[in-house]
């Protein structure tokens, strides 16, 4: 009888320990959720945070910039920036346009923003670093 | 007898009676006085004509009207991935006078079936160009737009609706008017005007004597005025230049001015001016002028989109906009409209089938739009202040500028609702006031603003002008100053929350106290911020120095002088809610300063771009320090003074914030942000008397309500490379192992200086820990 109670007690301890570990894992998951973590409010799904429409705007801006239509290009970038303020490529293009316009301070500010929004080693991150080295 | 009566022979010439009369007449006309009078009259007449001519040309060629500036909210952009819920969408469509129907087919129609939306947008102009009408579908699932597709087969990655006109900046005479050129006038409108008002418009010279005679005969026969003889040109002269005074003198002026108008200007120019000037209704104190404005006001659409029946309704109103008001008197208006449609049929503009269809159709008037200028008075105030930096007041009121702002009508609506609903709940005191500012975290755009608990009240704007002590709201600046020094401070740096007294050289002293009048021993830095303890914060501030904290505030965007005393650490500093937004904006946007702006673009009345206010940013604080601060501010919401927000908010919506309460509860503040929105809320009394509210029991509740009702993304800041997570035991305040009971992951920049390490407890110690965790 005593042995049974002891075994039961040990099993209970093991079960509680396992539950505690699960709780720790969930804290880690929540705290280290990177870009792209969606709110679960109102049954929202995990959707990619940068809409494809933004990339279309970036293409248009790039095309206009290639034709030195800076004003029109910047307008598309403003729209893309509103739609996806965390998308590094938006700021990379801003920076490149400002560089072409010789607005170096603004360009530098945009490239710095790229660094905070992209992983080291990513294309836009490397490009921004290269531009910043040139500006310095 | 004079010599003039003798002939050459000297005989008298016979003089008859008739000869005597004509001689007298001729001599009368040749009388010097008569001649002089005639010359003077002719000169006066010429001078009068010259004067009239000058009047006609001056006004016609100069600024014809004082056009108010049109102020627009942001245009809603629909694209896959956009955060949007059905309630907000339908509210936006209601503002734009979209009609819910079963099968959308015309611009302005939409349908909703479950999660599926189908919509036909209206064509409109924006500073980036003309947006054509689009027919498209999309669904809304989980508060996100998905599967946007065009029904017309064209590319539909983004569809932009026309922006809601939220108000105007008016001249002292309140008139609403939208200008159209002659080419933009529908053919049906021109024809309806001619057949109703002036059939011979294109052939007369401004005055039509035959029409006048015809009208006189008709009026005499009827015994009353049943027909007017004035041409469109005369009507324009009467409305544009003269008064409604009924006198011969005015009629004479009118006739000659009409002639002069016709001499100088083309028929098209005259008709265009008439179409833009004509009075067509009243909306409160604001007069509706011109067909283009009237079509928006009555039918909620552009003039170009009006049907022939709607055009006929507008022309029907010329006889008397009040008498033939389609909203108040639909029957008589319909009767007059049908008469005009019949006239159009008589001139072969309509077929019999078209006539019958048009006469059988309803008037189609929309709900009366609000044209009040103070729909969002606090935000309009911000817009005006920003514009006055570049434009003269007179130009703002009269040049017809189009101002495209950043206001989000849905966010504004939820903020207003939260203020109206929560204030009576948190306090029965009717003198309690409120102010709120909401900005976009990543954009710096001002999305909503409230300056009074009566949200439509146009008076003192507390959001921009109420300078109030901010209390604990300042503490993030103190802790940020520390966290910028990673060799000395990190989130787990132990702080002493013990009482102290500071003596100054001038004999004064300072003895801060905690809100609960308790002391809390030694605790980690982040918990000190989360619990908003004053003693530990003041001690930390004294270690850092007042000047260092002032410098941090300056970097964060506070330009005005700050309190140069240690009381600064506990918020003895007055700021307006808008100024608080500036400094929290830098925190929310990961250390990047971005000017807050309420305007995107300004164009002239023709749509040409005058000013653009682009996105600007500058990194002012190290991202590592901001990342740590944001973690601590999230702790405020998880376990600190802001945790009651999660009685309402979903747990997965990560937010960060800070409560603020000043001495005697005179001010209740909350500043909080998600991944998308930063909201600042202040509650208090104008006479600065105490309330019963803390930041948690007052402002936080208002913030929580509006944040909970707007779809948005949680905070998801990217961890800087120089920051690593360490397992930290909250109770023992040591570093420990992963998954140790009681341990939490804590981000630290650089090395965790001054922290000991202790391994997880095993055996009896672990069991004791386990028992402790149950209590």
């Amino acid at each position: 009888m005593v042995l049974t109670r002891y075994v039961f007690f040990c099993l209970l301890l093991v079960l509680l320990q396992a539950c505690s570990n699960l709780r720790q894992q969930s804290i880690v998951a929540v705290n280290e959720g990177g870009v792209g973590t969606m709110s679960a409010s109102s049954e929202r799904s995990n959707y990619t945070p940068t809409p494809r429409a933004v990339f279309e705007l970036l293409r248009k801006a790039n095309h206009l910039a290639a034709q030195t239509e800076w004003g029109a290009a910047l307008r598309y970038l403003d729209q893309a920036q509103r739609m996806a303020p965390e998308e590094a490529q938006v700021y990379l293009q801003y920076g490149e346009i400002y560089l072409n316009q010789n607005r170096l301070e603004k360009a530098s500010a945009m490239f710095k923003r790229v660094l905070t929004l992209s992983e080291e080693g990513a294309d836009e991150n490397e490009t921004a670093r290269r531009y910043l080295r040139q500006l310095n | 007898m004079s010599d003039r009566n003798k002939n050459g022979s000297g005989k008298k010439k016979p003089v008859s009676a008739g000869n005597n009369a004509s001689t007298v007449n001729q001599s009368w006309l040749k009388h010097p006085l008569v001649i002089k009078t005639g010359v003077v009259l002719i000169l006066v007449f010429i001078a009068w004509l010259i004067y009239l001519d000058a009047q006609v040309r001056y006004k016609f060629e100069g600024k014809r009207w004082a056009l108010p500036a049109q102020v627009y909210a942001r245009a809603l952009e629909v694209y896959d991935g956009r955060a949007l819920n059905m309630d907000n969408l339908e509210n936006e469509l209601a503002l734009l006078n979209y009609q819910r129907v079963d099968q959308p087919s015309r611009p302005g129609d939409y349908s909703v079936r479950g999660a599926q939306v189908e919509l036909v947008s209206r064509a409109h102009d924006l500073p980036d160009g003309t947006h054509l009408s689009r027919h498209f579908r999309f669904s809304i699932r989980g508060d996100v737009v998905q599967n946007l597709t065009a029904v017309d087969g064209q590319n539909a990655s983004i569809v932009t609706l026309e922006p809601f006109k939220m108000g105007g900046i008016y001249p002292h005479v309140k008139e609403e008017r939208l200008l159209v050129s002659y080419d933009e006038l529908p053919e049906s409108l021109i024809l309806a005007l001619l057949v109703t008002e002036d059939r011979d418009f294109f052939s007369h010279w401004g005055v039509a004597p035959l029409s006048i005679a015809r009208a006189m005969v008709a009026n005499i026969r009827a015994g009353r005025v049943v027909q007017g003889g004035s041409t469109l040109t005369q009507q324009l002269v009467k409305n544009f230049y003269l008064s409604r005074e009924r006198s011969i003198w005015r009629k004479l002026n009118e006739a000659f001015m009409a002639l002069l108008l016709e001499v100088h200007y083309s028929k098209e120019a005259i008709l265009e001016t008439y179409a833009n000037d004509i009075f067509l209704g009243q909306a409160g104190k604001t007069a509706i002028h011109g067909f283009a404005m009237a079509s928006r006001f009555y039918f909620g659409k552009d003039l170009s989109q009006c049907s022939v029946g709607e055009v006929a309704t507008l022309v029907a109103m010329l006889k008397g906009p009040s008498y033939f008001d389609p909203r108040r008197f639909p029957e008589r208006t319909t009767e007059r409209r049908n008469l005009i449609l019949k006239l159009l049929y008589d001139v072969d503009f309509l077929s019999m089938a078209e006539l019958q269809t048009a006469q059988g159709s309803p008037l189609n008037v929309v709900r009366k739009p609000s044209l009040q200028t103070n729909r969002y008075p606090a935000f309009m105030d911000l817009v005006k202040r920003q514009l006055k930096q570049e434009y003269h007041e007179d130009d703002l009121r009269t040049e017809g500028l189009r101002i495209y702002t950043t206001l989000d009508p849905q966010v504004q609506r939820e903020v207003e609702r939260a203020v109206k609903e929560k204030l009576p709940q948190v306090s029965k005191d009717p003198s309690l006031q409120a102010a709120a500012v909401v900005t976009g975290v990543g954009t710096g755009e001002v999305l909503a603003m409230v300056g009074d608990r009566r949200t439509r009240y146009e008076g003192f704007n507390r959001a921009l002008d109420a300078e109030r002590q901010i209390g604990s709201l300042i503490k993030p600046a103190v802790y940020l100053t520390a966290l910028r020094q990673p060799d000395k401070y990190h989130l787990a740096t132990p702080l002493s929350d013990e009482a102290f007294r500071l003596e100054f050289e001038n004999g004064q002293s300072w003895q801060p106290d905690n809100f609960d009048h308790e002391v809390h021993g030694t605790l980690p830095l982040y918990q000190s911020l989360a619990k908003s303890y004053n003693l530990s914060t003041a001690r930390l501030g004294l270690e850092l120095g007042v000047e260092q904290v002032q410098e941090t505030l300056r970097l964060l965007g506070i330009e005005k002088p700050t309190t140069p005393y240690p009381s600064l650490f506990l918020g003895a500093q007055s700021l307006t809610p808008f100024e608080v937004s500036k400094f929290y904006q830098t925190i929310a946007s990961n250390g990047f300063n971005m000017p807050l702006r309420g305007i995107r673009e300004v164009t002239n009345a023709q749509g040409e771009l005058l000013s653009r206010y682009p996105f600007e940013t500058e990194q002012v604080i190290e991202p590592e320090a901001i990342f740590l601060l944001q973690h601590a501010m999230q702790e405020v919401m998880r376990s600190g003074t802001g945790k009651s927000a999660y009685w309402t908010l979903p747990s997965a919506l990560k937010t960060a914030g800070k409560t603020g309460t000043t001495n005697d509860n005179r001010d209740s503040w909350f500043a909080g942000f998600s991944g998308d929105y930063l909201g600042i809320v202040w509650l208090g009394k104008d006479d600065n008397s105490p309330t019963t509210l803390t930041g948690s029991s007052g402002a936080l509740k208002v913030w929580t309500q509006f944040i909970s009702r707007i779809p948005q993304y949680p905070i998801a800041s990217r961890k800087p490379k120089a920051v690593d997570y360490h397992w930290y035991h909250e109770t023992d305040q040591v570093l420990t192992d992963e998954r140790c009971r009681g341990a939490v992951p804590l981000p630290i920049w650089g090395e965790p200086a001054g922290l000991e390490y202790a391994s997880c407890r095993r055996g009896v110690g672990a069991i004791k820990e386990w028992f402790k965790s149950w209590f």
Side-chain angles (χ1 to χ4, degrees), chain B residues 258-410:
Chain B
L259 285 168
L260 289 166
L261 206 60
E262 294 274 355
V263 163
H264 288 300
Y265 306 108
S266 67
K267 291 288 185 185
E268 289 77 12
I270 292 169
L271 196 54
E272 177 186 302
T273 306
Y274 178 90
N276 285 316
D277 185 66
I278 192 71
F279 172 70
L280 284 168
Q282 195 77 21
K285 292 181 185 173
T286 305
I288 307 297
H289 282 265
F291 287 104
M293 190 65 225
S295 70
R296 290 272 183 93
F297 182 66
Y298 292 106
F299 305 116
K301 56 173 79 166
D302 276 351
L303 185 59
S304 59
Q305 295 166 351
C306 284
S307 65
V308 65
E310 288 159 350
V311 165
T313 305
L314 293 175
V315 174
M317 296 173 66
L318 291 175
K319 266 280 176 280
S322 296
Y323 188 79
F324 291 107
D325 185 330
R327 292 191 178 104
R328 288 164 54 212
F329 306 111
E331 290 84 15
R332 65 167 77 131
T333 309
T334 303
E335 195 182 326
R336 176 124 185 105
R337 176 201 71 174
N338 289 348
L339 172 66
I340 292 169
L341 288 168
K342 174 70 168 55
L343 291 175
L344 288 174
Y345 166 76
D346 289 342
V347 296
D348 296 329
F349 183 75
L350 295 176
S351 65
M352 176 52 72
E354 286 168 338
L355 171 67
Q356 287 172 343
T357 304
Q359 286 184 331
S361 64
L363 289 175
N364 284 337
V365 286
V366 298
R367 193 168 37 98
K368 191 172 179 178
S370 169
L371 291 180
Q372 66 179 113
T373 59
N374 57 352
R375 189 183 179 97
Y376 307 125
F379 190 91
M380 284 292 286
D381 190 11
L382 172 70
V383 168
K384 286 178 194 173
R385 293 188 199 199
Q386 291 189 347
L387 285 171
K388 278 177 188 170
Q389 293 172 14
E390 288 185 40
Y391 297 89
H392 292 300
E393 172 105 23
D394 194 51
D395 291 344
L396 288 179
R397 293 185 183 279
T398 61
E399 288 294 328
L401 301 180
R402 292 183 202 168
I403 297 149
Y404 297 90
T405 74
T406 58
L407 181 121
D408 185 321
Q410 302 319 310

Side-chain angles (χ1 to χ4, degrees), chain A residues 95-115:
Chain A
E96 287 172 341
I97 289 176
Y98 287 138
L99 209 55
N100 276 298
Q101 292 182 315
N102 209 32
R103 297 158 79 179
L104 303 182
E105 270 189 38
K106 284 184 183 289
S108 175
M110 292 301 175
F111 293 136
K112 285 180 183 172
R113 190 133 175 93
V114 174
L115 298 185

Side-chain angles (χ1 to χ4, degrees), chain A residues 13 16-17 20-21 24-25 27-28 30-45 47-49 51-53 56-57 74-75 78-79 81-83 85-86 91 94 98 106 109-110 112-113 116-120, chain B residues 77 79-81 83 127-128 142-144 146 148 155 157-158 442-443 445 589-590 592 594 600-601 609 612 614-619 623 638 650 652-654 711-714 716 718 721 725 727 739-743 745 770 774:
Chain A
L13 274 176
L16 284 169
Q17 180 71 23
S20 173
N21 285 345
Q24 295 285 0
Q25 284 169 0
I27 289 171
V28 173
V30 167
N31 283 327
E32 291 193 346
V35 174
T37 306
M38 278 285 300
S39 162
S41 63
S42 310
E43 302 169 3
R44 292 166 80 188
S45 62
Y47 200 90
T48 308
R52 67 182 168 91
E56 199 170 304
L57 291 171
L74 285 171
R75 188 175 277 145
D78 283 347
Q79 189 178 6
Q81 195 274 336
R82 283 198 300 272
M83 289 162 60
E86 302 292 306
Y91 302 97
Y94 265 127
Y98 287 138
K106 284 184 183 289
M110 292 301 175
K112 285 180 183 172
R113 190 133 175 93
T116 66
L117 295 173
S118 55
E119 297 290 343
E120 201 169 316
Chain B
E77 292 162 328
Y79 50 89
D80 282 350
D128 62 353
D143 290 355
V144 176
Q146 297 177 15
L148 175 66
N155 178 29
S157 58
I158 309 172
T443 62
E445 291 189 334
S589 60
N590 302 321
F592 281 82
M594 46 186 76
R600 287 182 183 169
E601 282 152 323
L609 185 69
R612 186 175 145 264
F615 169 74
E616 290 185 359
T617 192
E618 180 194 2
Q619 185 174 13
R638 275 195 292 266
L653 180 63
K654 280 168 51 180
Q712 60 202 285
Y713 288 80
R718 198 175 285 273
K721 194 182 173 193
Y725 279 95
W727 288 98
R739 295 192 177 82
C740 193
R741 195 183 308 283
W770 172 68
W774 284 86

Side-chain angles (χ1 to χ4, degrees), chain B residues 557-575:
Chain B
I558 301 303
E559 294 156 347
K560 69 199 302 177
T562 47
T563 306
Y565 306 113
S567 54
L568 174 69
F569 308 139
L570 302 184
Q573 172 67 43
S574 293
L575 294 175

